[in-house]
């Protein structure tokens, strides 16, 4: 039996709102959401995405955090391990790149089946 | 200063891929993703959504889990507290209803900015 990565599980499964999830699928998706459910990692995703070619190394990201380089590298590794960031080594540095397929899969999980329910920023928005 | 709920924070913020998230926004969003990052709660979301009017009480959901009713009620409460499920009491039971606005906000967070990057189910899909 082929083990699916969290991203493959999300990409394969039906939108959350269209069919009840099986226990197996839910257990496959949870690690990806857990990886995202952290303020530092959410910021890292958006900072990497904001870089040229949606790609950055830890050397580009240091300044945005009051954290050590090894701590930031650890968070980048967690995002890579669930498939949200691709990575490649070039010279001294490891470069991380946002996986658009992974993000699209997450959006699809929450998005489809609720067509017509547009998001209206509430009055409390600041 | 008005405190935003996690859902309001998600609905208010720009898509993850379009602008770097502030620390404050990331800290506001993380609890919502943390609530979703659990296999039981993911299944509960999809089971409630599959019910008539996207609404169910714990009495409707018991049979799908090998868990006690208080445990399931606890998970429903977690989803309610971050704004993913609305709730209302009718008679003996508390009914939970999926908030389409909350899901649309999550989809928007991951979806926009990656237009054209379609999700293609991989060959490993089962």
């Amino acid at each position: 039996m082929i083990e699916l990565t969290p991203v493959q599980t999300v990409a394969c499964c039906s939108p959350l709102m269209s069919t009840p999830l099986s226990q197996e699928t839910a257990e496959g998706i949870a690690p990806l959401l857990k990886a995202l459910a952290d303020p530092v990692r959410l910021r890292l995703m958006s900072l990497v995405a904001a870089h040229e070619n949606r790609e950055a190394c830890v050397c580009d990201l240091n300044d945005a955090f009051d954290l050590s380089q090894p701590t930031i590298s650890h968070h980048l590794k967690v995002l890579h391990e669930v498939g949200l960031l691709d990575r490649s080594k070039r010279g001294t540095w490891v470069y991380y790149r946002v996986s658009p397929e992974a993000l699209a899969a997450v959006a699809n999980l929450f998005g489809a089946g609720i067509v017509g329910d547009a998001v209206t920023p509430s009055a409390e928005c600041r």
Side-chain angles (χ1 to χ4, degrees), chain A residues 42-80:
Chain A
L42 278 171
R43 289 187 65 212
L44 279 172
M45 286 294 293
S46 74
L47 286 165
V48 172
H51 255 255
E52 206 183 330
N53 296 326
R54 287 183 186 149
E55 189 178 61
C57 68
V58 71
C59 54
D60 297 318
L61 304 164
N62 262 346
D63 292 349
F65 298 89
D66 194 17
L67 296 170
S68 72
Q69 198 163 299
T71 300
I72 297 173
S73 288
H74 164 75
H75 284 298
L76 288 168
K77 197 174 160 225
V78 171
L79 291 167
H80 168 66

Side-chain angles (χ1 to χ4, degrees), chain A residues 17-126:
Chain A
M17 295 301 94
S18 66
T19 326
L21 288 181
S22 71
Q23 186 174 336
E24 188 189 13
T25 303
E27 284 170 358
I29 297 171
L32 190 144
L33 294 172
K34 204 172 170 189
L36 284 169
D38 176 277
V40 172
R41 292 198 287 268
L42 278 171
R43 289 187 65 212
L44 279 172
M45 286 294 293
S46 74
L47 286 165
V48 172
H51 255 255
E52 206 183 330
N53 296 326
R54 287 183 186 149
E55 189 178 61
C57 68
V58 71
C59 54
D60 297 318
L61 304 164
N62 262 346
D63 292 349
F65 298 89
D66 194 17
L67 296 170
S68 72
Q69 198 163 299
T71 300
I72 297 173
S73 288
H74 164 75
H75 284 298
L76 288 168
K77 197 174 160 225
V78 171
L79 291 167
H80 168 66
E81 281 171 353
V82 295
L84 287 163
L85 293 177
D86 299 324
R87 79 174 169 189
S88 57
K89 201 165 182 219
R90 290 205 299 277
T92 320
W93 297 105
V94 178
Y95 283 81
Y96 289 90
R97 191 172 189 284
V98 169
S99 165
E101 294 79 12
L103 284 185
V106 177
N108 184 57
L109 178 69
F110 295 107
I114 47 169
V115 175
D117 296 316
V119 185
T120 314
S122 64
E124 296 90 337
C125 287
R126 55 187 164 189

